[in-house]
Amino acid sequence: MSTRTLVSPATLARPRGKALYWTVFTGVLLLFTLAFLFPVYWMVTGAVKSPDEVARTPPTLVPERWRLGGYRDAWDLMQLPTHLWNTVVQAAGAWAFQLVLCTAAAYALSKLKPVFGRVILAGILATLMVPAQALVVPKYLTVADLGLLNDPLAIWLPAVANAFNLYLLKRFFDQIPRDVLEAAEIDGAGKLRILRSIVLPMSRPVLGVVSIFALVAVWQDFLWPLMVFSDTDRQPISVALVQLSQNIQLTVLIAAMVIASIPMVALFLVFQRHIIAGISAGSTKG
């Protein structure tokens, strides 16, 4: 079977064709890198500028004077340790609840084949078609009736119902060879033992992807925490940055944004190999 390429091998063999190819490739790579990294650079350097320099037109690409005091002021004035800890607690709890319950539900739908399993899965996936804003009021009324306002459970429990992550886990479990599970059953392993000793170790890539999705969703969420946390001392960093920014200098606010983004950036850099493996795992078996 013949394959088509943008540049033929004959063209690449010529010096002019090879030079043109690498010029275009390098230009496109630099363009995409600049598009993604320039906003990050602008945010980081904006925090070390003076307030007058930040508001200057035209803006300066390199700070005239590096002032690291903005980060220290953001840490103290905006009570970042408290709000970062609130965010960590909320994100970690939502991650734990979601990973346990979505994994159990996906395993049941994939391997245990319950009665009306396809109907249940179709109903779960149908919730993806409902706008998230349409569910805010019912969720709030439910949380309020249960007395969970200003409680981390108001974040943890709604996070469990994540249809996308459940479906992602189920599709991965479907790829696990049935022969491996049957061999474990012959050796006397029960359903729970098979899940714990065979399915979960084989599912590390997709569990890493689901973990990243769960943590990022809570870390960057704004509307729902704003509604359920009226107590300022319990608010996560996403809400606190808005609530406490009224009388704060712009450079201090930018510094707080930089600090708030560091945990998620570090998490991605540490687990990027697992993320890529999990995304590509659905195309392979075992």
Side-chain angles (χ1 to χ4, degrees):
M1 181 181 295
S2 62
T3 58
R4 296 182 178 180
T5 59
L6 293 177
V7 183
S8 65
T11 304
L12 283 177
R14 302 169 186 166
R16 181 178 297 179
K18 183 180 295 186
L20 179 61
Y21 171 79
W22 283 109
T23 301
V24 174
F25 177 79
T26 304
V28 172
L29 182 62
L30 290 177
L31 182 63
F32 274 90
T33 302
L34 183 64
F36 282 101
L37 294 184
F38 184 76
V40 178
Y41 167 80
W42 191 258
M43 181 174 64
V44 173
T45 57
V48 299
K49 296 178 180 179
S50 64
D52 294 336
E53 187 178 358
V54 171
R56 184 181 303 172
T57 302
T60 55
L61 292 178
V62 180
E64 296 177 349
R65 181 182 178 186
W66 295 75
R67 303 172 65 256
L68 299 179
Y71 289 99
R72 183 178 59 253
D73 295 340
W75 187 264
D76 296 331
L77 296 178
M78 303 193 72
Q79 304 174 3
L80 292 187
T82 299
H83 298 296
L84 284 172
W85 175 248
N86 293 340
T87 311
V88 169
V89 171
Q90 295 167 20
W95 165 77
F97 272 93
Q98 189 174 138
L99 202 64
V100 171
L101 297 179
C102 284
T103 299
Y107 176 69
L109 292 172
S110 176
K111 299 303 180 183
L112 303 186
K113 305 297 183 182
V115 180
F116 303 118
R118 293 186 177 181
V119 177
I120 295 173
L121 179 61
I124 292 174
L125 294 180
T127 61
L128 294 174
M129 303 297 107
V130 181
Q133 293 79 3
L135 302 175
V136 169
V137 174
K139 284 198 305 181
Y140 180 82
L141 295 177
T142 302
V143 169
D145 290 340
L146 294 176
L148 298 179
L149 296 179
N150 291 312
D151 192 303
L153 285 171
I155 301 294
W156 299 347
L157 297 182
V160 172
N162 192 304
F164 177 79
N165 285 346
L166 189 150
Y167 181 70
L168 190 64
L169 287 165
K170 180 189 177 299
R171 290 296 301 166
F172 188 90
F173 293 162
D174 290 341
Q175 303 290 336
I176 297 178
R178 183 66 187 174
D179 296 342
V180 177
L181 306 184
E182 291 176 350
E185 291 178 355
I186 294 175
D187 291 339
K191 302 297 184 183
L192 187 60
R193 177 65 182 277
I194 292 175
L195 172 63
R196 185 176 66 253
S197 302
I198 297 178
V199 175
L200 292 183
M202 296 178 66
S203 305
R204 288 177 182 174
V206 72
L207 291 176
V209 173
V210 169
S211 298
I212 294 295
F213 287 167
L215 291 172
V216 171
V218 176
W219 197 275
Q220 68 180 9
D221 193 13
F222 172 76
L223 179 60
W224 181 244
L226 177 65
M227 296 179 64
V228 298
F229 287 106
S230 58
D231 186 353
T232 305
D233 292 334
R234 293 178 177 269
Q235 291 175 346
I237 190 67
S238 59
V239 178
L241 287 177
V242 177
Q243 298 287 71
L244 301 176
S245 63
Q246 303 300 323
N247 299 317
I248 298 294
Q249 289 183 350
L250 181 58
T251 54
V252 176
L253 179 59
I254 296 175
M257 294 178 181
V258 174
I259 296 174
S261 64
I262 289 176
M264 287 296 101
V265 174
L267 188 68
F268 173 78
L269 294 177
V270 172
F271 294 102
Q272 60 177 328
R273 180 170 58 88
H274 300 282
I275 297 173
I276 296 173
I279 292 175
S280 61
S283 60
T284 60
K285 290 187 176 182

